Amino acid sequence: MDRVHFFLLGLPVFLLCSDLLNLFTPPPPPPASHPKPGHHHHHHHKPPLSSDFPEFPKFPEFPAMKAEGGIGHGSTININFCASCSYRGTAITMKKMLENQFPRIDVILENYPPPMPKRLLAKVVPVVQFGVIGIIMAGEQIFPMMGIMTPSWYYSLRANKFGSIASTWLLGNFLQSFLQSSGAFEVYCNDELVFSKLKEGRFPGEIELRDLVTKKLSTSRLVHDLGEAWS
């Protein structure tokens, strides 16, 4: 056996013996806590609290004052927007901004419907749409049942049936979407108009809307306080 084999065999045996020796050897006694000669043991006392001294009386503790009311408390913001115009994302962004700026305020999102004539026409469009598609599909039976001679334009639509049906469907959806859209983004603070996209022709900026609402709420709070003072 050469030296390398002897070293590799003896190292584990040495480590095992060292672990056994440390395991069965009792721990050394703790050091004595007696003071050395010539040294005086000083006791450190904690300083007395301020309540122990009569010249430092404890002041009474008052409960924390909680702010009640505040700007925006009890107020409501209505954001009426055009739901079919994809304005919902903008309305949600404005709602989160107002709720962060005025934590005690209530922000409500609602759809702003189009005028009554446009709403009525929007309901008529699907009926006409399916009627045209039905004529394209079975016009040869429909016209004789109605006692009408088959018009020439029907054969033009019949020649490209798939294209005619697709065009009718897309055109009807476009008209219906146009009639259902109002293009509105109206902001009301306590039922008073703050910003109108129908009048301004644009969306409000976040800072602009915040300042407008702050001004309206401050004015409403001032009027309310003056009314209470005079009553």
Side-chain angles (χ1 to χ4, degrees), residues 33 113 140 145 190 225:
S33 59
E140 294 179 352
M145 291 175 57
N190 295 328
D225 293 342

Side-chain angles (χ1 to χ4, degrees), residues 10-102:
L11 181 60
V13 175
F14 173 76
L15 295 177
L16 178 61
C17 294
S18 177
D19 293 338
L20 292 176
L21 182 62
N22 293 330
L23 180 63
F24 292 102
T25 302
S33 59
H34 299 287
K36 294 182 179 180
H39 291 273
H40 298 282
H41 184 68
H42 298 279
H43 296 279
H44 298 279
H45 298 279
K46 294 183 179 180
L49 300 177
S50 59
S51 59
D52 298 335
F53 290 92
E55 62 271 14
F56 296 103
K58 293 182 65 177
F59 293 96
E61 296 181 357
F62 294 95
M65 300 294 293
K66 295 183 179 180
E68 298 182 358
I71 185 170
H73 176 66
S75 299
T76 303
I77 301 293
N78 293 83
I79 301 179
N80 298 346
F81 63 97
C82 175
S84 62
C85 301
S86 302
Y87 293 170
R88 180 174 294 275
T90 305
I92 293 176
T93 300
M94 295 298 181
K95 172 182 171 66
K96 293 181 179 179
M97 182 272 296
L98 292 174
E99 289 177 344
N100 290 332
Q101 294 294 327
F102 312 99

Side-chain angles (χ1 to χ4, degrees), residues 14 49 61 71 86 116 125 171 197 203 224:
F14 173 76
L49 300 177
E61 296 181 357
I71 185 170
S86 302
M116 182 59 69
V125 168
L171 181 61
K197 181 179 179 295
F203 286 100
H224 180 268

